[in-house]
Amino acid sequence: VADQKRLQTAVARFSEWHDRDTPELESHYRKLIPLEKPGPGEQYAFEVDVEACSGCKACVSACHSLNGLDENETWRDVGNLVGGDEWDPIVQTITTACHHCAEPGCMDGCPVLAYDKDDVTGIVRHLDDQCIGCQYCVLKCPYDVPKYSESRGIVRKCDMCHERLGVGEAPACVQACPNEAIRITTVYQDEVAAVARRESAEFLAGTVDYSYTMPTTRFVRAVTEKDSEEKRQPQFVDASRLRVEPTHFPLVVMLILTQAGAGCFAAAQIARSNGLEVFWLLFAGTVLAGLGINAAVLHLGRPMKAWRAFLGWRKSWLSREIISFGGLVPLAILLTGLALVEGVTWPWLNALPVAEWKLVDYGIPVLLCIALASVWTSVMVYADTHRPFWSLPRATFKFYSTVCILAGAAGWAASGGEVFLALTVTSVTGKLIYELFFLNKRHGSRADMLNQSAYLMCGPLRSVTVARQLLALIGVALLWVNPLAAFGILLLAEGCERYLFFRAVVAWRMPGA
């Protein structure tokens, strides 16, 4: 009993040592940070000794306090990595924050250039005054680092306490750790890139491919898949936990309406080729696409700054999507007006050789090409996040099948051509079969991210999944009864599918995030 009284935890020993206020205190912290700034080709990086981390979360509390974070806001997370087998189990505590990647996904995806990678230190900083709150960086980062603040309408993240480092002080998390499990080191960016080029490169078991963003954090003595080839594969302790992701409802509306607009333009091209009336198809497509673009603005935390969203066009697919759809609507308005003029016999309009110029004949194919290219930018916005449920083949199929379904339904309602009926029935049937095959993945292991998406669609999101399938079948049945109502029902069915697109996706993240 007397020996137990003298035993102390790491936190208690750290507190006692700190209370002495010895002259060695400052020099002690300098051992945990570089004494000189990074040289050419170098940058600061976190180094975490996994064996030393006890999971006390002192780093989380210190980061929260010294950075003045909101009540439910955290920039550092703590979780567990488990592996081994029943005879040789492995449990390791992982503390993680921003990895200040060599090629940051958040910076490449930001449409307003609200991220900056310091040329000297390599620290990736978020520029709060530039942010419009689109949250695309949240989707792009595979480590769940940027955190959206609803009260501020912007995203914020760890900046390695760069102001403290600038005056020779250790970051909050480094200074607070009682076991000295976290320190700041310098790494060569070329070496990070070289590691990323290796086929067997492992950042941390259970994380996204290392080459995606090239994170610079080094986890010392962490279990990797290569370490346990003959044992149970290591994974995050919460890897199988089902999480329903945010809805992003304005984006659901935006994607469905813009793709419905593209479908109307495709139907207009088919109708024009068969000598049918195209005005109402162009009009409907223009209205739907315009409403979709405006709905996306409601997703922004700072909508008044939306005009700056074109700034990141060199790297950001979101910027390219905004530019593409931004040019689509004015052209659609112009062609709709020209299509209306074609059937008018006003004297002053007869003097204009509109029909001879064939502006509508030449304009509709151009409009359709721009619309389909715009849908492609929407595909890449989500495929570029590297989330398996949003992979390039899946996103391409889902988005363009929506265009085909609504093109057929709109054309059938406007002109009654048999080709539109065949297109609608074929597209709906093919998409429903694809979705039913995907739902079979729910019988697989929950460790697989795609299987988890199937679990979500058959579990917490079951009602929406069933409603989506029933609405699609009802929409097809109504094609012979009321084509206009069928278009509305199919539009609603595709809206349910797009709702599941956001809610059932499984995001890459770090343990504890």
Side-chain angles (χ1 to χ4, degrees):
V1 174
D3 289 340
Q4 290 179 4
K5 289 181 179 179
R6 290 192 293 269
L7 291 176
Q8 288 183 317
T9 64
V11 175
R13 290 194 300 269
F14 179 79
S15 300
E16 278 192 4
W17 177 77
H18 224 277
D19 289 340
R20 296 172 193 159
D21 197 19
T22 58
E24 294 83 11
L25 198 60
E26 182 177 352
S27 62
H28 167 78
Y29 287 122
R30 288 186 176 275
K31 295 177 183 177
L32 301 177
I33 62 174
L35 298 181
E36 298 179 354
K37 290 184 178 181
E42 292 182 317
Q43 74 163 77
Y44 286 139
F46 283 113
E47 182 179 278
V48 179
D49 188 340
V50 173
E51 294 295 332
C53 180
S54 63
C56 68
K57 298 188 179 180
C59 54
V60 178
S61 299
C63 176
H64 188 279
S65 299
L66 290 180
N67 287 296
L69 305 187
D70 294 340
E71 181 180 359
N72 296 318
E73 187 179 17
T74 57
W75 290 355
R76 179 167 282 277
D77 297 299
V78 176
N80 291 324
L81 186 71
V82 297
D85 52 34
E86 59 181 328
W87 303 109
D88 185 18
I90 298 171
V91 179
Q92 291 186 327
T93 305
I94 306 293
T95 175
T96 178
C98 179
H99 302 300
H100 301 279
C101 305
E103 293 186 0
C106 56
M107 187 172 71
D108 290 345
C110 182
V112 294
L113 306 181
Y115 283 89
D116 171 65
K117 186 171 178 67
D118 191 274
D119 293 334
V120 177
T121 63
I123 295 174
V124 180
R125 295 183 297 166
H126 181 262
L127 310 177
D128 292 357
D129 58 332
Q130 295 276 99
C131 184
I132 61 174
C134 69
Q135 304 175 55
Y136 187 48
C137 57
V138 178
L139 302 182
K140 279 280 290 178
C141 178
Y143 308 112
D144 196 32
V145 168
K147 302 297 196 306
Y148 180 68
S149 172
E150 292 187 4
S151 61
R152 292 177 172 83
I154 61 171
V155 168
R156 302 203 297 174
K157 64 174 283 293
C158 160
D159 59 2
M160 204 182 277
C161 295
H162 68 280
E163 293 180 348
R164 294 170 63 87
L165 278 174
V167 294
E169 294 185 16
C173 56
V174 174
Q175 184 170 332
C177 182
N179 289 336
E180 302 178 10
I182 311 172
R183 63 190 299 262
I184 305 297
T185 62
T186 56
V187 297
Y188 284 98
Q189 294 178 346
D190 289 344
E191 292 182 359
V192 174
V195 172
R197 287 192 291 268
R198 300 175 191 166
E199 293 183 1
S200 59
E202 285 288 344
F203 173 56
L204 194 66
T207 55
V208 72
D209 184 8
Y210 185 91
S211 62
Y212 174 33
T213 63
M214 300 185 189
T216 60
T217 300
R218 181 177 176 229
F219 291 97
V220 181
R221 291 183 286 185
V223 175
T224 65
E225 296 181 8
K226 195 174 182 179
D227 296 330
S228 55
E229 293 177 352
E230 299 179 358
K231 301 179 181 180
R232 183 166 59 87
Q233 293 297 319
Q235 60 182 357
F236 301 158
V237 71
D238 56 348
S240 299
R241 175 187 171 191
L242 296 180
R243 298 178 176 90
V244 178
E245 292 295 312
T247 306
H248 299 296
F249 188 72
L251 297 184
V252 173
V253 176
M254 176 263 179
L255 288 174
I256 286 300
L257 293 186
T258 53
Q259 288 162 25
C264 289
F265 299 145
Q269 173 60 33
I270 297 173
R272 191 73 172 184
S273 301
N274 290 275
L276 302 174
E277 179 61 39
V278 299
F279 169 74
W280 288 110
L281 288 171
L282 291 175
F283 178 78
T286 302
V287 172
L288 290 171
L291 289 175
I293 293 173
N294 284 280
V297 178
L298 300 177
H299 184 254
L300 303 180
R302 290 179 174 177
M304 298 303 293
K305 294 187 176 182
W307 62 270
R308 303 173 55 201
F310 70 92
L311 294 175
W313 65 272
R314 290 182 178 85
K315 292 185 177 182
S316 174
W317 279 104
L318 183 57
S319 282
R320 295 165 186 170
E321 180 188 42
I322 292 168
I323 293 171
S324 184
F325 278 114
L328 174 69
V329 173
L331 179 58
I333 294 173
L334 176 61
L335 283 176
T336 303
L338 291 174
L340 177 63
V341 167
E342 280 187 331
V344 177
T345 57
W346 295 341
W348 67 275
L349 284 175
N350 293 337
L352 298 175
V354 175
E356 295 180 7
W357 293 342
K358 296 184 179 180
L359 295 179
V360 177
D361 291 333
Y362 295 140
I364 292 179
V366 174
L367 179 67
L368 178 58
C369 289
I370 296 176
L372 296 178
S374 300
V375 175
W376 176 252
T377 62
S378 295
V379 170
M380 290 305 301
V381 163
Y382 300 97
D384 200 36
T385 64
H386 287 230
R387 297 183 179 187
F389 191 60
W390 290 351
S391 66
L392 183 60
R394 284 187 182 82
T396 301
F397 176 78
K398 287 176 179 291
F399 287 13
Y400 282 103
S401 62
T402 297
V403 173
C404 292
I405 290 170
L406 298 178
W412 176 249
S415 64
E418 294 293 333
V419 64
F420 294 117
L421 179 62
L423 177 62
T424 308
V425 174
T426 303
S427 300
V428 171
T429 303
K431 192 167 188 178
L432 287 180
I433 292 174
Y434 168 82
E435 292 173 1
L436 289 174
F437 271 108
F438 180 80
L439 293 179
N440 284 330
K441 290 182 176 292
R442 69 187 185 277
H443 300 300
S445 169
R446 283 201 182 186
D448 184 85
M449 297 176 74
L450 286 176
N451 294 350
Q452 288 185 36
S453 293
Y455 272 113
L456 288 170
M457 294 173 69
C458 296
L461 302 172
R462 179 183 178 86
S463 59
V464 182
T465 304
V466 173
R468 182 269 183 284
Q469 295 170 350
L470 288 177
L471 286 171
L473 294 175
I474 293 171
V476 171
L478 283 175
L479 288 171
W480 287 271
V481 180
N482 190 328
L484 188 59
F487 175 80
I489 295 296
L490 289 173
L491 184 65
L492 187 58
E494 292 304 297
C496 291
E497 186 270 315
R498 206 50 35 86
Y499 176 89
L500 294 170
F501 180 79
F502 283 99
R503 297 283 275 171
V505 67
V506 178
W508 293 103
R509 50 173 43 91
M510 296 296 286

